[in-house]
Amino acid sequence: MSAEPLTREDVPTNGGAPNLNALAELQAQESGGETGDEGGSRKPSQAEWLIEHARAVAELWKTPDGETFATVPIGDHREHWPLRGAGVRRWLRREYYAVHGKPPGAQAIQDALATLDAIAHLEGPTYPVYVRVAEHNGAIYVDLCDDAWQAVEVTAGGWRVVANPPVRFRRTKGMLPLPVPVAGGSVDELRPLLPGLDDEGWILYVSYLVKSLRARGPYPVLVLQGEQGAGKSSTTRMARGLVDPNTAPLLAVPREERDLLIAARNGWIIALDNLSGTPIWLSDALCRLATGGGWSTRELYSDTDEVLINVQRPVVLNGIDDLLSRDDLRDRAIILHLPPISDEQRRDEDELWREYERVRPRVLGALLDAVSMGLRRWDETKLPWRPRMADYARWIAAAEPALPWEAGAHLDVYTGNRKEAAAVSLESNAVAQAVLALMERREEWEGTATE
């Protein structure tokens, strides 16, 4: 007697992935039982096998802007890979070799990928995809970027590390894993490593980090200014390492807006190092990046197709000079002036970063405590007045009970920082200085612009 034919439900799984030999048997059975014997139906081509295998094992889907992805089970977790990327190509090659004992042809993989892309685009469901930080159903998720694709889930009740989060994260080249956060720490454990920050600067620096762990902007632009030896670059690197570590934590000034957009799509925090002022186009682009705005550019190898990009990202800038020559960017900024680090305060580079790595999991846990508090108190938190970047100020006010300073301290410090920035703007403006000089000994003046 012959055995009963297999069905899709009969294919056993190993840690979430179908057994490849059983799946190959099922695919042969569905294609007519072809094994190469006489009388059997046509054996599927390599491309056909790859397509059927991917459809059976992976989930094909697309983003709202039409980028196609495959969600693939790897061991006991899922990974989300762009269909046009190298990850799916490698996976298909390995899956074919595991069953057939030989590699598939390059053209077969190319044909399979093109077909899978069409299937995902026309038949697949639509999901948003995120880089590093996401928000879903009232919870915030932070991608740890580890090999197990774990994330931290932050809710109003606390935070925990979860496998297979309900949001879909995209991994890009250069992204490094965050440490597994540890409960019970304090952000103050980081402060001895940043001697250039005074009490007000420390409050604003920590507040920037707490806001950067929220998926919704607008975000203030953190500007670190000071002469050589003030620790501007290390202060920038520490900020990025607590939220979005990367193999290239500090970027040079982009040559054009397209380069800035590529960096924004491939990372969460944009950290520009050692600027000498900000040209008009960069200032305008950073404003849109911090508070939200769309870009349009022509798709490569196309005359008419358009690519639309709409992203919000936290931004850090550092440099020696006064970096903000335009009021619109200055109005969105937190400006910290770092004094030179004294010989007594300076540490060896190895010692500094060894201590940073020691406290980083506990500091990250403390920042997540503040994020959880912000979620818990967001609806009930009201500000006595609404400054520029009011959503940022309200978020920190909601999180303050979990931060090591008195309630309301951030709003006072932030308001003072904005007034100081406005005064600096007046000092650097020749027309404003002339008007101030004109009005120094009078209450009012009336006349023509020429006069």
Side-chain angles (χ1 to χ4, degrees):
M1 296 179 62
S2 61
E4 291 293 326
L6 287 171
T7 66
R8 291 274 169 181
E9 289 73 19
D10 295 326
V11 177
T13 61
N14 297 319
N19 179 282
L20 295 179
N21 291 328
L23 185 59
E25 180 182 345
L26 174 62
Q27 290 171 338
Q29 173 184 296
E30 290 178 340
S31 65
E34 170 57 35
T35 60
D37 298 333
E38 291 185 8
S41 13
R42 182 183 65 83
K43 184 176 181 180
S45 67
Q46 291 182 348
E48 290 170 337
W49 188 95
L50 291 168
I51 293 166
E52 287 303 311
H53 181 77
R55 298 189 70 181
V57 176
E59 180 187 10
L60 306 177
W61 53 280
K62 62 182 179 296
T63 65
D65 60 1
E67 186 177 4
T68 54
F69 280 77
T71 296
V72 180
I74 303 293
D76 58 356
H77 67 276
R78 301 174 305 158
E79 300 187 6
H80 312 292
W81 299 335
L83 273 171
R84 297 182 182 181
V88 175
R89 186 182 300 272
R90 285 193 293 263
W91 176 72
L92 288 175
R93 186 174 285 112
R94 191 264 291 174
E95 295 291 283
Y96 190 90
Y97 182 82
V99 172
H100 298 89
K102 62 180 181 179
Q107 188 60 49
I109 290 182
Q110 191 69 21
D111 292 344
L113 285 172
T115 303
L116 293 172
D117 177 78
I119 293 171
H121 188 78
L122 297 175
E123 300 177 14
T126 300
Y127 302 109
V129 65
Y130 302 92
V131 174
R132 189 65 80 173
V133 181
E135 195 160 343
H136 177 70
N137 286 343
I140 291 174
Y141 294 87
V142 181
D143 186 9
L144 290 179
C145 280
D146 59 1
D147 291 339
W149 283 64
Q150 296 182 109
V152 181
E153 179 185 69
V154 189
T155 66
W159 56 266
R160 62 184 181 128
V161 177
V162 297
N164 296 318
V167 295
R168 296 167 188 244
F169 285 110
R170 177 169 59 93
R171 300 279 178 87
T172 62
K173 288 182 179 179
M175 294 180 73
L176 291 176
L178 280 165
V180 175
V182 174
S186 168
V187 292
D188 279 340
E189 296 179 49
L190 182 68
R191 189 165 185 186
L193 306 182
L194 298 168
L197 295 176
D198 59 15
D199 290 344
E200 294 184 353
W202 175 246
I203 289 175
L204 293 170
Y205 184 80
V206 172
S207 300
Y208 172 84
L209 295 175
V210 174
K211 178 59 180 176
S212 296
L213 285 167
R214 194 180 192 194
R216 278 188 281 160
Y219 302 98
V221 177
L222 179 62
V223 180
L224 304 174
Q225 296 181 172
E227 58 187 88
Q228 188 174 0
K232 300 181 298 297
S233 294
S234 59
T235 303
T236 305
R237 288 177 60 189
M238 287 184 188
R240 185 160 193 189
L242 284 165
V243 178
D244 182 36
N246 196 283
T247 55
L250 307 179
L251 302 176
V253 180
R255 292 175 299 176
E256 58 180 2
E257 200 168 38
R258 180 190 291 268
D259 295 336
L260 182 66
L261 292 181
I262 291 173
R265 280 180 56 84
N266 292 333
W268 181 244
I269 287 185
I270 303 302
L272 302 183
D273 187 44
N274 199 24
L275 274 71
S276 297
T278 49
I280 293 176
W281 72 266
L282 180 58
S283 179
D284 292 343
L286 291 174
C287 287
R288 288 199 298 273
L289 199 59
T291 56
W295 285 268
S296 172
T297 184
R298 183 177 62 83
E299 187 173 8
L300 291 178
Y301 313 115
S302 168
D303 292 327
T304 58
D305 290 339
E306 189 177 41
V307 176
L308 299 176
I309 301 173
N310 188 4
V311 290
Q312 277 186 325
R313 292 289 186 266
V315 176
V316 186
L317 312 176
N318 74 59
I320 294 176
D321 305 321
D322 181 12
L323 301 181
L324 309 184
S325 58
R326 292 173 63 84
D327 289 338
D328 52 355
L329 182 56
R330 191 190 302 273
D331 205 34
R332 293 165 167 83
I334 296 170
I335 304 173
L336 304 183
H337 298 274
L338 305 184
I341 298 174
S342 66
D343 292 342
E344 293 76 18
Q345 294 173 319
R346 195 172 300 280
R347 297 181 181 224
D348 292 337
E349 193 81 3
D350 290 344
E351 176 194 350
L352 175 69
W353 293 107
R354 187 164 54 245
E355 180 65 11
Y356 174 74
E357 291 300 331
R358 186 187 72 80
V359 303
R360 191 160 64 124
R362 293 171 56 82
V363 173
L364 177 57
L367 291 172
L368 295 172
D369 289 339
V371 173
S372 177
M373 182 65 70
L375 289 172
R376 189 181 317 155
R377 300 183 65 247
W378 173 255
D379 290 336
E380 67 188 59
T381 300
K382 307 297 180 184
L383 298 177
W385 67 89
R386 292 177 180 271
R388 185 75 165 88
M389 311 294 286
D391 284 356
Y392 153 68
R394 181 184 170 195
W395 175 250
I396 302 306
E400 273 184 317
L403 293 168
W405 57 75
E406 294 182 0
H410 170 263
L411 185 58
D412 291 340
V413 170
Y414 178 55
T415 301
N417 188 265
R418 285 179 47 76
K419 288 181 178 178
E420 183 181 347
V424 171
S425 177
L426 288 176
E427 290 175 5
S428 61
N429 189 306
V431 174
Q433 288 301 305
V435 171
L436 290 173
L438 175 68
M439 300 303 297
E440 188 172 358
R441 290 187 173 88
R442 64 188 79 192
E443 291 294 326
E444 63 179 44
W445 180 85
E446 184 177 343
T448 66
T450 302
E451 292 170 335

